[in-house]
Amino acid sequence: MKLVPKSPNGSSRKAETLLSLGDPSFRKPVSRSRTIRIDFRDGAITPESLMDKFVIRGGNPLVGSVRISGAKNAALPAMAAAILTDEPVILENIPDVRDIQTERNLLVSMGADVELGYGRASHRTTISCNNLVNPEAAYELVKTMRASTLVLGPLLARMGRARVSQPGGCAIGARPIDLHIKGLERLGASIKQEHGYIEASADRLRGGHIIFDKITVTGTEDLMMAATLAEGETIMENCAREPEVVDLAALLIKMGARIEGAGTHTIRIHGVEKLHGARHRIIPDRIEAGTFVIAAVLTGGDLQLTNCDPDHLGSLIQKLEECGVSIKAGTDSMRITNGHQLEAADISTEEFPGFPTDMQAQYMTLATQSQGTSIITENIFENRFMHAGELARMGANIKVEGSRAIVRGKTPLSSAAVQCSDLRASASLVLAALVADGETIIDRVYHVDRGYERIEEKLKGVGAQIRRIGEILPRRAAAPSVVA
Ligand code: EPU
C-alpha cells in the first residue's frame, strides 16, 4: 500500500486551503496499524508544497494550552537505531514532520518495513529491518536532510558495509562529517570517498578509543550506535551531552546494548553480538517548546505547554528570567506569562546544557522587542544569521559582525514579505510576524514543515491569526482587445 501524505506537511493540499483539525484532508482515524510501502518521492519536497506560504496578522496575545510534539532530533537517530536489529522497534511520540517522512523513505529504500499507526496511534511507528537489502543512502534523500548520515554507523555495524551520499554544505554552515568518518576508522572501518559518496566496509567493527576533536551531536550518536555491535569496549570522549543523545542511549539499552555515561562527556560501550527489538517513547521536543515559550513572551500572552520537559530548557528559562519573564515549570508542563517590558540580555550559543543554537534565531526576534542592546554570539555554526536580514526588513535594528549580532531594541516590527532560509530561521520569522503590525507573508514554509508539527494549527488554537496558503496564481489575462 502506498502512503498518501495527508498531513498539513504533506503535499495533497489545494492552494489557498486553510487546514484545521476538522479538515477532511487529515488522516481518517482507523483502529489498527498498517504496514506501508512509501513512495520514494513522498518525502521529497513537491513543487506544490514549495509554494506554501503563511499569512500572519500580528497583534494577538497567545492564550491557552499547546501540546508539545516528540523531538525530531531524538526521533531521527532512534529510527536509524532500528537498523541495528532484525526485530521490530516500536517508537512512540514520533512527530509528524517532513524530516521524519524523509527518514521513513530512506529506511524503506533500504528494504525496511515501516508501519505507521493511524488515528490515535498516529505518532507511533514500527520499523522492521529483518530484510535490509540496500545499505545505501542516496543523494536525493541526504541532500534534503543531513541527518540521513546517521545511518552510516548502524549500517556498517549490522551489515558490514554502507554507501552514504556526502551531505555537502547547507544554509547554516559547511557542516562536515569528518568526525563521523574518523571515529568509524578508529573502530576499524575502511572508508573511501568517491563520486560524492562515502563507501564504508568492515568485517566486524572492533572497540576503540575515540576522542572527538569537537563536540558533535549526530557524530556522538552515529558512533555510539556503531559501537554497540563492535567487538570489545569503546570509550568515547568529548561527547555531546544533549538530551537527544541520552534518549538514544536509553533506546539502545532497551535493545540490549551495554552503554554507560550517556549525558556526560565520556561514554563507554561494551559491544554485544546482537541487539533485539524494543518499544520506546521519544522525548518531547525542547526546541518546539522553546519556540512556543518565546511566542508567549513576545505576544504578552499566557500559555500552558504540556507534554514537555522543562529540565531540557534550563538555559533558555534562566535567560528569559533575566529578561524579566515569569515561567512556572512543572514536571512535564510549563506556564509562561508576560505582561511587562522585556529587558535585553546577551546570549552565546553553546553545546548542551548551554544556550542551544537551535533557539538562537527565535531569541533574536525576542531581542528586537527587549529594551536595550542584546549581543547574540553564535559559536556552533558559521552562517546561522540568515534571519537577521529578514528581521531587518520588518524593522529590526540588527548589525551582524562575524559571529556576533548586535540587536538594538525595542523597535516596532511591521509586516513585510519575507522568506525562510532554514528551519529555525523560519520559526524566528513566524514569531516576528506574531507581533508585527499588519499582515506578514512568509514564503518557503517547507523549511518550517521539516521540524514543526502543524505549527499553524497549534498557533491558531491559542489565538494567533495565521493561515497557510498555496501560491496565488494570477487570473488568466483577458484576451487582448484589438486596438485599431
Ligand atoms: N562538525 C564538524 N565535523 C563533524 C561534525 C560536526 O566539524 O564531523 C562541526 C559542525 O560543522 C558544527 C559543530 O561541529 O560546527 C557541531 O555540529 P553537530 O555535529 O553537533 O551538529 P549536527 O549533529 O549535524 C545536530 C542537530 C542540529 C543542531 C546541532 C547542534 C540533529 C538531526 N541535528 O546537528 O539541529 O543545530 O546538532 O546542536 O540532531 C535543527 O534541528 O534545526 C538542527 C540544525
mmCIF file with all atom_site columns, all heavy atoms in Angstrom, residues 72-73 147 175-180 214 216-218 357-358 380-381 384 423-424, ligand 1:
data_model
loop_
_atom_site.group_PDB
_atom_site.id
_atom_site.type_symbol
_atom_site.label_atom_id
_atom_site.label_alt_id
_atom_site.label_comp_id
_atom_site.label_asym_id
_atom_site.label_entity_id
_atom_site.label_seq_id
_atom_site.pdbx_PDB_ins_code
_atom_site.Cartn_x
_atom_site.Cartn_y
_atom_site.Cartn_z
_atom_site.occupancy
_atom_site.B_iso_or_equiv
_atom_site.pdbx_formal_charge
_atom_site.auth_seq_id
_atom_site.auth_comp_id
_atom_site.auth_asym_id
_atom_site.auth_atom_id
_atom_site.pdbx_PDB_model_num
ATOM   1   N N   . LYS A 1 72  ? 12.041 15.863 17.060 1.00 0.00 ? 72  LYS A N   1
ATOM   2   C CA  . LYS A 1 72  ? 12.554 15.430 15.751 1.00 0.00 ? 72  LYS A CA  1
ATOM   3   C C   . LYS A 1 72  ? 13.988 14.914 15.883 1.00 0.00 ? 72  LYS A C   1
ATOM   4   O O   . LYS A 1 72  ? 14.326 13.855 15.353 1.00 0.00 ? 72  LYS A O   1
ATOM   5   C CB  . LYS A 1 72  ? 12.510 16.622 14.786 1.00 0.00 ? 72  LYS A CB  1
ATOM   6   C CG  . LYS A 1 72  ? 13.354 16.446 13.555 1.00 0.00 ? 72  LYS A CG  1
ATOM   7   C CD  . LYS A 1 72  ? 13.382 17.690 12.697 1.00 0.00 ? 72  LYS A CD  1
ATOM   8   C CE  . LYS A 1 72  ? 14.403 18.747 13.057 1.00 0.00 ? 72  LYS A CE  1
ATOM   9   N NZ  . LYS A 1 72  ? 15.775 18.555 12.579 1.00 0.00 ? 72  LYS A NZ  1
ATOM   10  N N   . ASN A 1 73  ? 14.837 15.661 16.609 1.00 0.00 ? 73  ASN A N   1
ATOM   11  C CA  . ASN A 1 73  ? 16.253 15.298 16.655 1.00 0.00 ? 73  ASN A CA  1
ATOM   12  C C   . ASN A 1 73  ? 16.546 14.106 17.561 1.00 0.00 ? 73  ASN A C   1
ATOM   13  O O   . ASN A 1 73  ? 17.670 13.608 17.586 1.00 0.00 ? 73  ASN A O   1
ATOM   14  C CB  . ASN A 1 73  ? 17.099 16.513 17.058 1.00 0.00 ? 73  ASN A CB  1
ATOM   15  C CG  . ASN A 1 73  ? 17.158 17.540 15.933 1.00 0.00 ? 73  ASN A CG  1
ATOM   16  O OD1 . ASN A 1 73  ? 16.741 17.248 14.803 1.00 0.00 ? 73  ASN A OD1 1
ATOM   17  N ND2 . ASN A 1 73  ? 17.651 18.725 16.235 1.00 0.00 ? 73  ASN A ND2 1
ATOM   18  N N   . ALA A 1 147 ? 20.658 14.694 8.406  1.00 0.00 ? 147 ALA A N   1
ATOM   19  C CA  . ALA A 1 147 ? 20.659 13.661 9.444  1.00 0.00 ? 147 ALA A CA  1
ATOM   20  C C   . ALA A 1 147 ? 20.613 12.255 8.850  1.00 0.00 ? 147 ALA A C   1
ATOM   21  O O   . ALA A 1 147 ? 20.783 11.274 9.573  1.00 0.00 ? 147 ALA A O   1
ATOM   22  C CB  . ALA A 1 147 ? 19.495 13.879 10.393 1.00 0.00 ? 147 ALA A CB  1
ATOM   23  N N   . ARG A 1 175 ? 29.165 22.259 7.696  1.00 0.00 ? 175 ARG A N   1
ATOM   24  C CA  . ARG A 1 175 ? 28.721 21.029 8.350  1.00 0.00 ? 175 ARG A CA  1
ATOM   25  C C   . ARG A 1 175 ? 29.399 19.754 7.816  1.00 0.00 ? 175 ARG A C   1
ATOM   26  O O   . ARG A 1 175 ? 28.756 18.867 7.274  1.00 0.00 ? 175 ARG A O   1
ATOM   27  C CB  . ARG A 1 175 ? 27.201 20.915 8.264  1.00 0.00 ? 175 ARG A CB  1
ATOM   28  C CG  . ARG A 1 175 ? 26.514 22.104 8.895  1.00 0.00 ? 175 ARG A CG  1
ATOM   29  C CD  . ARG A 1 175 ? 25.036 21.963 8.935  1.00 0.00 ? 175 ARG A CD  1
ATOM   30  N NE  . ARG A 1 175 ? 24.591 21.058 9.976  1.00 0.00 ? 175 ARG A NE  1
ATOM   31  C CZ  . ARG A 1 175 ? 23.327 20.721 10.177 1.00 0.00 ? 175 ARG A CZ  1
ATOM   32  N NH1 . ARG A 1 175 ? 22.396 21.206 9.409  1.00 0.00 ? 175 ARG A NH1 1
ATOM   33  N NH2 . ARG A 1 175 ? 22.991 19.915 11.136 1.00 0.00 ? 175 ARG A NH2 1
ATOM   34  N N   . PRO A 1 176 ? 30.709 19.658 7.974  1.00 0.00 ? 176 PRO A N   1
ATOM   35  C CA  . PRO A 1 176 ? 31.418 18.453 7.543  1.00 0.00 ? 176 PRO A CA  1
ATOM   36  C C   . PRO A 1 176 ? 31.023 17.242 8.396  1.00 0.00 ? 176 PRO A C   1
ATOM   37  O O   . PRO A 1 176 ? 30.453 17.408 9.474  1.00 0.00 ? 176 PRO A O   1
ATOM   38  C CB  . PRO A 1 176 ? 32.885 18.805 7.765  1.00 0.00 ? 176 PRO A CB  1
ATOM   39  C CG  . PRO A 1 176 ? 32.874 19.839 8.836  1.00 0.00 ? 176 PRO A CG  1
ATOM   40  C CD  . PRO A 1 176 ? 31.587 20.603 8.665  1.00 0.00 ? 176 PRO A CD  1
ATOM   41  N N   . ILE A 1 177 ? 31.341 16.034 7.914  1.00 0.00 ? 177 ILE A N   1
ATOM   42  C CA  . ILE A 1 177 ? 31.094 14.841 8.741  1.00 0.00 ? 177 ILE A CA  1
ATOM   43  C C   . ILE A 1 177 ? 32.403 14.075 8.972  1.00 0.00 ? 177 ILE A C   1
ATOM   44  O O   . ILE A 1 177 ? 32.408 12.865 9.188  1.00 0.00 ? 177 ILE A O   1
ATOM   45  C CB  . ILE A 1 177 ? 29.995 13.923 8.155  1.00 0.00 ? 177 ILE A CB  1
ATOM   46  C CG1 . ILE A 1 177 ? 30.315 13.511 6.725  1.00 0.00 ? 177 ILE A CG1 1
ATOM   47  C CG2 . ILE A 1 177 ? 28.636 14.580 8.226  1.00 0.00 ? 177 ILE A CG2 1
ATOM   48  C CD1 . ILE A 1 177 ? 29.495 12.296 6.297  1.00 0.00 ? 177 ILE A CD1 1
ATOM   49  N N   . ASP A 1 178 ? 33.513 14.821 8.919  1.00 0.00 ? 178 ASP A N   1
ATOM   50  C CA  . ASP A 1 178 ? 34.826 14.194 9.104  1.00 0.00 ? 178 ASP A CA  1
ATOM   51  C C   . ASP A 1 178 ? 34.947 13.462 10.441 1.00 0.00 ? 178 ASP A C   1
ATOM   52  O O   . ASP A 1 178 ? 35.636 12.445 10.541 1.00 0.00 ? 178 ASP A O   1
ATOM   53  C CB  . ASP A 1 178 ? 35.926 15.261 8.974  1.00 0.00 ? 178 ASP A CB  1
ATOM   54  C CG  . ASP A 1 178 ? 35.729 16.424 9.949  1.00 0.00 ? 178 ASP A CG  1
ATOM   55  O OD1 . ASP A 1 178 ? 34.592 16.931 10.039 1.00 0.00 ? 178 ASP A OD1 1
ATOM   56  O OD2 . ASP A 1 178 ? 36.693 16.800 10.644 1.00 0.00 ? 178 ASP A OD2 1
ATOM   57  N N   . LEU A 1 179 ? 34.258 13.957 11.473 1.00 0.00 ? 179 LEU A N   1
ATOM   58  C CA  . LEU A 1 179 ? 34.406 13.325 12.793 1.00 0.00 ? 179 LEU A CA  1
ATOM   59  C C   . LEU A 1 179 ? 33.689 11.965 12.838 1.00 0.00 ? 179 LEU A C   1
ATOM   60  O O   . LEU A 1 179 ? 34.120 11.051 13.539 1.00 0.00 ? 179 LEU A O   1
ATOM   61  C CB  . LEU A 1 179 ? 33.902 14.253 13.898 1.00 0.00 ? 179 LEU A CB  1
ATOM   62  C CG  . LEU A 1 179 ? 34.590 15.624 13.950 1.00 0.00 ? 179 LEU A CG  1
ATOM   63  C CD1 . LEU A 1 179 ? 33.976 16.502 15.028 1.00 0.00 ? 179 LEU A CD1 1
ATOM   64  C CD2 . LEU A 1 179 ? 36.093 15.465 14.200 1.00 0.00 ? 179 LEU A CD2 1
ATOM   65  N N   . HIS A 1 180 ? 32.594 11.837 12.071 1.00 0.00 ? 180 HIS A N   1
ATOM   66  C CA  . HIS A 1 180 ? 31.927 10.528 11.966 1.00 0.00 ? 180 HIS A CA  1
ATOM   67  C C   . HIS A 1 180 ? 32.918 9.542  11.300 1.00 0.00 ? 180 HIS A C   1
ATOM   68  O O   . HIS A 1 180 ? 33.090 8.413  11.746 1.00 0.00 ? 180 HIS A O   1
ATOM   69  C CB  . HIS A 1 180 ? 30.691 10.588 11.061 1.00 0.00 ? 180 HIS A CB  1
ATOM   70  C CG  . HIS A 1 180 ? 29.596 11.514 11.504 1.00 0.00 ? 180 HIS A CG  1
ATOM   71  N ND1 . HIS A 1 180 ? 28.305 11.079 11.660 1.00 0.00 ? 180 HIS A ND1 1
ATOM   72  C CD2 . HIS A 1 180 ? 29.579 12.840 11.789 1.00 0.00 ? 180 HIS A CD2 1
ATOM   73  C CE1 . HIS A 1 180 ? 27.542 12.114 12.022 1.00 0.00 ? 180 HIS A CE1 1
ATOM   74  N NE2 . HIS A 1 180 ? 28.294 13.178 12.094 1.00 0.00 ? 180 HIS A NE2 1
ATOM   75  N N   . LYS A 1 214 ? 35.922 17.851 18.356 1.00 0.00 ? 214 LYS A N   1
ATOM   76  C CA  . LYS A 1 214 ? 34.927 18.900 18.582 1.00 0.00 ? 214 LYS A CA  1
ATOM   77  C C   . LYS A 1 214 ? 33.656 18.179 19.002 1.00 0.00 ? 214 LYS A C   1
ATOM   78  O O   . LYS A 1 214 ? 33.424 17.041 18.563 1.00 0.00 ? 214 LYS A O   1
ATOM   79  C CB  . LYS A 1 214 ? 34.723 19.560 17.218 1.00 0.00 ? 214 LYS A CB  1
ATOM   80  C CG  . LYS A 1 214 ? 34.035 20.848 17.220 1.00 0.00 ? 214 LYS A CG  1
ATOM   81  C CD  . LYS A 1 214 ? 34.125 21.458 15.821 1.00 0.00 ? 214 LYS A CD  1
ATOM   82  C CE  . LYS A 1 214 ? 33.410 22.786 15.849 1.00 0.00 ? 214 LYS A CE  1
ATOM   83  N NZ  . LYS A 1 214 ? 33.473 23.464 14.588 1.00 0.00 ? 214 LYS A NZ  1
ATOM   84  N N   . THR A 1 216 ? 30.158 16.925 18.755 1.00 0.00 ? 216 THR A N   1
ATOM   85  C CA  . THR A 1 216 ? 29.191 16.763 17.666 1.00 0.00 ? 216 THR A CA  1
ATOM   86  C C   . THR A 1 216 ? 28.040 15.879 18.138 1.00 0.00 ? 216 THR A C   1
ATOM   87  O O   . THR A 1 216 ? 28.264 14.791 18.672 1.00 0.00 ? 216 THR A O   1
ATOM   88  C CB  . THR A 1 216 ? 29.849 16.183 16.387 1.00 0.00 ? 216 THR A CB  1
ATOM   89  O OG1 . THR A 1 216 ? 28.831 15.593 15.559 1.00 0.00 ? 216 THR A OG1 1
ATOM   90  C CG2 . THR A 1 216 ? 30.903 15.128 16.658 1.00 0.00 ? 216 THR A CG2 1
ATOM   91  N N   . VAL A 1 217 ? 26.805 16.362 17.905 1.00 0.00 ? 217 VAL A N   1
ATOM   92  C CA  . VAL A 1 217 ? 25.634 15.642 18.393 1.00 0.00 ? 217 VAL A CA  1
ATOM   93  C C   . VAL A 1 217 ? 25.410 14.365 17.568 1.00 0.00 ? 217 VAL A C   1
ATOM   94  O O   . VAL A 1 217 ? 25.444 13.248 18.102 1.00 0.00 ? 217 VAL A O   1
ATOM   95  C CB  . VAL A 1 217 ? 24.367 16.549 18.351 1.00 0.00 ? 217 VAL A CB  1
ATOM   96  C CG1 . VAL A 1 217 ? 23.140 15.771 18.793 1.00 0.00 ? 217 VAL A CG1 1
ATOM   97  C CG2 . VAL A 1 217 ? 24.569 17.782 19.222 1.00 0.00 ? 217 VAL A CG2 1
ATOM   98  N N   . THR A 1 218 ? 25.196 14.531 16.249 1.00 0.00 ? 218 THR A N   1
ATOM   99  C CA  . THR A 1 218 ? 24.933 13.314 15.463 1.00 0.00 ? 218 THR A CA  1
ATOM   100 C C   . THR A 1 218 ? 26.189 12.446 15.349 1.00 0.00 ? 218 THR A C   1
ATOM   101 O O   . THR A 1 218 ? 26.082 11.231 15.204 1.00 0.00 ? 218 THR A O   1
ATOM   102 C CB  . THR A 1 218 ? 24.371 13.655 14.064 1.00 0.00 ? 218 THR A CB  1
ATOM   103 O OG1 . THR A 1 218 ? 25.207 14.626 13.456 1.00 0.00 ? 218 THR A OG1 1
ATOM   104 C CG2 . THR A 1 218 ? 22.947 14.174 14.138 1.00 0.00 ? 218 THR A CG2 1
ATOM   105 N N   . THR A 1 357 ? 21.952 26.481 19.963 1.00 0.00 ? 357 THR A N   1
ATOM   106 C CA  . THR A 1 357 ? 21.991 27.182 18.672 1.00 0.00 ? 357 THR A CA  1
ATOM   107 C C   . THR A 1 357 ? 20.622 27.112 17.982 1.00 0.00 ? 357 THR A C   1
ATOM   108 O O   . THR A 1 357 ? 20.243 28.032 17.268 1.00 0.00 ? 357 THR A O   1
ATOM   109 C CB  . THR A 1 357 ? 23.106 26.608 17.760 1.00 0.00 ? 357 THR A CB  1
ATOM   110 O OG1 . THR A 1 357 ? 22.976 27.195 16.465 1.00 0.00 ? 357 THR A OG1 1
ATOM   111 C CG2 . THR A 1 357 ? 23.027 25.098 17.613 1.00 0.00 ? 357 THR A CG2 1
ATOM   112 N N   . ASP A 1 358 ? 19.873 26.037 18.234 1.00 0.00 ? 358 ASP A N   1
ATOM   113 C CA  . ASP A 1 358 ? 18.562 25.897 17.589 1.00 0.00 ? 358 ASP A CA  1
ATOM   114 C C   . ASP A 1 358 ? 17.517 26.861 18.155 1.00 0.00 ? 358 ASP A C   1
ATOM   115 O O   . ASP A 1 358 ? 16.390 26.899 17.668 1.00 0.00 ? 358 ASP A O   1
ATOM   116 C CB  . ASP A 1 358 ? 18.051 24.445 17.721 1.00 0.00 ? 358 ASP A CB  1
ATOM   117 C CG  . ASP A 1 358 ? 18.865 23.480 16.879 1.00 0.00 ? 358 ASP A CG  1
ATOM   118 O OD1 . ASP A 1 358 ? 19.640 23.947 16.028 1.00 0.00 ? 358 ASP A OD1 1
ATOM   119 O OD2 . ASP A 1 358 ? 18.729 22.256 17.082 1.00 0.00 ? 358 ASP A OD2 1
ATOM   120 N N   . ILE A 1 380 ? 28.313 27.780 17.268 1.00 0.00 ? 380 ILE A N   1
ATOM   121 C CA  . ILE A 1 380 ? 28.257 26.403 16.747 1.00 0.00 ? 380 ILE A CA  1
ATOM   122 C C   . ILE A 1 380 ? 28.336 26.365 15.219 1.00 0.00 ? 380 ILE A C   1
ATOM   123 O O   . ILE A 1 380 ? 29.102 25.583 14.661 1.00 0.00 ? 380 ILE A O   1
ATOM   124 C CB  . ILE A 1 380 ? 26.961 25.690 17.223 1.00 0.00 ? 380 ILE A CB  1
ATOM   125 C CG1 . ILE A 1 380 ? 26.792 25.803 18.745 1.00 0.00 ? 380 ILE A CG1 1
ATOM   126 C CG2 . ILE A 1 380 ? 26.954 24.214 16.772 1.00 0.00 ? 380 ILE A CG2 1
ATOM   127 C CD1 . ILE A 1 380 ? 27.827 25.093 19.590 1.00 0.00 ? 380 ILE A CD1 1
ATOM   128 N N   . PHE A 1 381 ? 27.548 27.193 14.561 1.00 0.00 ? 381 PHE A N   1
ATOM   129 C CA  . PHE A 1 381 ? 27.553 27.192 13.088 1.00 0.00 ? 381 PHE A CA  1
ATOM   130 C C   . PHE A 1 381 ? 28.026 28.549 12.567 1.00 0.00 ? 381 PHE A C   1
ATOM   131 O O   . PHE A 1 381 ? 27.740 29.586 13.159 1.00 0.00 ? 381 PHE A O   1
ATOM   132 C CB  . PHE A 1 381 ? 26.159 26.847 12.547 1.00 0.00 ? 381 PHE A CB  1
ATOM   133 C CG  . PHE A 1 381 ? 25.763 25.425 12.848 1.00 0.00 ? 381 PHE A CG  1
ATOM   134 C CD1 . PHE A 1 381 ? 24.764 25.149 13.762 1.00 0.00 ? 381 PHE A CD1 1
ATOM   135 C CD2 . PHE A 1 381 ? 26.410 24.363 12.242 1.00 0.00 ? 381 PHE A CD2 1
ATOM   136 C CE1 . PHE A 1 381 ? 24.407 23.838 14.056 1.00 0.00 ? 381 PHE A CE1 1
ATOM   137 C CE2 . PHE A 1 381 ? 26.067 23.046 12.532 1.00 0.00 ? 381 PHE A CE2 1
ATOM   138 C CZ  . PHE A 1 381 ? 25.068 22.780 13.443 1.00 0.00 ? 381 PHE A CZ  1
ATOM   139 N N   . ARG A 1 384 ? 24.790 31.178 10.705 1.00 0.00 ? 384 ARG A N   1
ATOM   140 C CA  . ARG A 1 384 ? 23.425 30.993 11.187 1.00 0.00 ? 384 ARG A CA  1
ATOM   141 C C   . ARG A 1 384 ? 22.743 32.315 11.551 1.00 0.00 ? 384 ARG A C   1
ATOM   142 O O   . ARG A 1 384 ? 21.985 32.382 12.512 1.00 0.00 ? 384 ARG A O   1
ATOM   143 C CB  . ARG A 1 384 ? 23.414 30.017 12.381 1.00 0.00 ? 384 ARG A CB  1
ATOM   144 C CG  . ARG A 1 384 ? 22.113 29.238 12.382 1.00 0.00 ? 384 ARG A CG  1
ATOM   145 C CD  . ARG A 1 384 ? 22.052 28.134 13.369 1.00 0.00 ? 384 ARG A CD  1
ATOM   146 N NE  . ARG A 1 384 ? 20.897 27.273 13.043 1.00 0.00 ? 384 ARG A NE  1
ATOM   147 C CZ  . ARG A 1 384 ? 20.526 26.232 13.746 1.00 0.00 ? 384 ARG A CZ  1
ATOM   148 N NH1 . ARG A 1 384 ? 21.190 25.886 14.819 1.00 0.00 ? 384 ARG A NH1 1
ATOM   149 N NH2 . ARG A 1 384 ? 19.480 25.523 13.385 1.00 0.00 ? 384 ARG A NH2 1
ATOM   150 N N   . LEU A 1 423 ? 15.269 25.910 8.939  1.00 0.00 ? 423 LEU A N   1
ATOM   151 C CA  . LEU A 1 423 ? 14.196 25.573 9.885  1.00 0.00 ? 423 LEU A CA  1
ATOM   152 C C   . LEU A 1 423 ? 14.009 26.588 11.015 1.00 0.00 ? 423 LEU A C   1
ATOM   153 O O   . LEU A 1 423 ? 12.916 27.110 11.231 1.00 0.00 ? 423 LEU A O   1
ATOM   154 C CB  . LEU A 1 423 ? 14.493 24.174 10.444 1.00 0.00 ? 423 LEU A CB  1
ATOM   155 C CG  . LEU A 1 423 ? 13.647 23.642 11.572 1.00 0.00 ? 423 LEU A CG  1
ATOM   156 C CD1 . LEU A 1 423 ? 12.176 23.659 11.212 1.00 0.00 ? 423 LEU A CD1 1
ATOM   157 C CD2 . LEU A 1 423 ? 14.094 22.212 11.914 1.00 0.00 ? 423 LEU A CD2 1
ATOM   158 N N   . ARG A 1 424 ? 15.066 26.879 11.741 1.00 0.00 ? 424 ARG A N   1
ATOM   159 C CA  . ARG A 1 424 ? 14.902 27.740 12.923 1.00 0.00 ? 424 ARG A CA  1
ATOM   160 C C   . ARG A 1 424 ? 14.785 29.215 12.529 1.00 0.00 ? 424 ARG A C   1
ATOM   161 O O   . ARG A 1 424 ? 14.129 29.994 13.223 1.00 0.00 ? 424 ARG A O   1
ATOM   162 C CB  . ARG A 1 424 ? 16.038 27.521 13.914 1.00 0.00 ? 424 ARG A CB  1
ATOM   163 C CG  . ARG A 1 424 ? 16.288 26.060 14.263 1.00 0.00 ? 424 ARG A CG  1
ATOM   164 C CD  . ARG A 1 424 ? 15.050 25.360 14.834 1.00 0.00 ? 424 ARG A CD  1
ATOM   165 N NE  . ARG A 1 424 ? 15.277 23.916 14.948 1.00 0.00 ? 424 ARG A NE  1
ATOM   166 C CZ  . ARG A 1 424 ? 14.345 23.038 15.293 1.00 0.00 ? 424 ARG A CZ  1
ATOM   167 N NH1 . ARG A 1 424 ? 13.096 23.419 15.547 1.00 0.00 ? 424 ARG A NH1 1
ATOM   168 N NH2 . ARG A 1 424 ? 14.636 21.745 15.381 1.00 0.00 ? 424 ARG A NH2 1
HETATM 169 N N1  . EPU B 2 .   ? 31.278 19.281 12.951 1.00 0.00 ? 1   EPU B N1  1
HETATM 170 C C1  . EPU B 2 .   ? 32.475 19.021 12.320 1.00 0.00 ? 1   EPU B C1  1
HETATM 171 N N2  . EPU B 2 .   ? 32.682 17.746 11.868 1.00 0.00 ? 1   EPU B N2  1
HETATM 172 C C2  . EPU B 2 .   ? 31.771 16.747 12.039 1.00 0.00 ? 1   EPU B C2  1
HETATM 173 C C3  . EPU B 2 .   ? 30.567 17.037 12.693 1.00 0.00 ? 1   EPU B C3  1
HETATM 174 C C4  . EPU B 2 .   ? 30.343 18.311 13.148 1.00 0.00 ? 1   EPU B C4  1
HETATM 175 O O1  . EPU B 2 .   ? 33.310 19.900 12.155 1.00 0.00 ? 1   EPU B O1  1
HETATM 176 O O2  . EPU B 2 .   ? 32.047 15.619 11.609 1.00 0.00 ? 1   EPU B O2  1
HETATM 177 C C5  . EPU B 2 .   ? 31.013 20.641 13.428 1.00 0.00 ? 1   EPU B C5  1
HETATM 178 C C6  . EPU B 2 .   ? 29.819 21.289 12.752 1.00 0.00 ? 1   EPU B C6  1
HETATM 179 O O3  . EPU B 2 .   ? 30.151 21.855 11.498 1.00 0.00 ? 1   EPU B O3  1
HETATM 180 C C7  . EPU B 2 .   ? 29.373 22.304 13.765 1.00 0.00 ? 1   EPU B C7  1
HETATM 181 C C8  . EPU B 2 .   ? 29.680 21.591 15.087 1.00 0.00 ? 1   EPU B C8  1
HETATM 182 O O4  . EPU B 2 .   ? 30.633 20.581 14.783 1.00 0.00 ? 1   EPU B O4  1
HETATM 183 O O5  . EPU B 2 .   ? 30.156 23.445 13.651 1.00 0.00 ? 1   EPU B O5  1
HETATM 184 C C9  . EPU B 2 .   ? 28.504 20.964 15.764 1.00 0.00 ? 1   EPU B C9  1
HETATM 185 O O6  . EPU B 2 .   ? 27.754 20.204 14.815 1.00 0.00 ? 1   EPU B O6  1
HETATM 186 P P1  . EPU B 2 .   ? 26.942 18.898 15.234 1.00 0.00 ? 1   EPU B P1  1
HETATM 187 O O7  . EPU B 2 .   ? 27.581 17.726 14.582 1.00 0.00 ? 1   EPU B O7  1
HETATM 188 O O8  . EPU B 2 .   ? 26.755 18.862 16.698 1.00 0.00 ? 1   EPU B O8  1
HETATM 189 O O9  . EPU B 2 .   ? 25.553 19.166 14.515 1.00 0.00 ? 1   EPU B O9  1
HETATM 190 P P2  . EPU B 2 .   ? 24.644 18.031 13.925 1.00 0.00 ? 1   EPU B P2  1
HETATM 191 O O10 . EPU B 2 .   ? 24.796 16.813 14.730 1.00 0.00 ? 1   EPU B O10 1
HETATM 192 O O11 . EPU B 2 .   ? 24.841 17.960 12.451 1.00 0.00 ? 1   EPU B O11 1
HETATM 193 C C10 . EPU B 2 .   ? 22.540 18.473 15.416 1.00 0.00 ? 1   EPU B C10 1
HETATM 194 C C11 . EPU B 2 .   ? 21.106 18.837 15.192 1.00 0.00 ? 1   EPU B C11 1
HETATM 195 C C12 . EPU B 2 .   ? 21.034 20.284 14.726 1.00 0.00 ? 1   EPU B C12 1
HETATM 196 C C13 . EPU B 2 .   ? 21.658 21.160 15.811 1.00 0.00 ? 1   EPU B C13 1
HETATM 197 C C14 . EPU B 2 .   ? 23.097 20.717 16.088 1.00 0.00 ? 1   EPU B C14 1
HETATM 198 C C15 . EPU B 2 .   ? 23.764 21.461 17.220 1.00 0.00 ? 1   EPU B C15 1
HETATM 199 C C16 . EPU B 2 .   ? 20.113 16.736 14.546 1.00 0.00 ? 1   EPU B C16 1
HETATM 200 C C17 . EPU B 2 .   ? 19.494 15.898 13.499 1.00 0.00 ? 1   EPU B C17 1
HETATM 201 N N3  . EPU B 2 .   ? 20.552 17.947 14.175 1.00 0.00 ? 1   EPU B N3  1
HETATM 202 O O12 . EPU B 2 .   ? 23.197 18.652 14.177 1.00 0.00 ? 1   EPU B O12 1
HETATM 203 O O13 . EPU B 2 .   ? 19.659 20.600 14.586 1.00 0.00 ? 1   EPU B O13 1
HETATM 204 O O14 . EPU B 2 .   ? 21.675 22.503 15.390 1.00 0.00 ? 1   EPU B O14 1
HETATM 205 O O15 . EPU B 2 .   ? 23.104 19.310 16.417 1.00 0.00 ? 1   EPU B O15 1
HETATM 206 O O16 . EPU B 2 .   ? 23.026 21.333 18.371 1.00 0.00 ? 1   EPU B O16 1
HETATM 207 O O17 . EPU B 2 .   ? 20.205 16.318 15.687 1.00 0.00 ? 1   EPU B O17 1
HETATM 208 C C18 . EPU B 2 .   ? 17.816 21.774 13.725 1.00 0.00 ? 1   EPU B C18 1
HETATM 209 O O18 . EPU B 2 .   ? 17.078 20.960 14.312 1.00 0.00 ? 1   EPU B O18 1
HETATM 210 O O19 . EPU B 2 .   ? 17.386 22.840 13.209 1.00 0.00 ? 1   EPU B O19 1
HETATM 211 C C19 . EPU B 2 .   ? 19.246 21.495 13.623 1.00 0.00 ? 1   EPU B C19 1
HETATM 212 C C20 . EPU B 2 .   ? 20.027 22.068 12.722 1.00 0.00 ? 1   EPU B C20 1
#
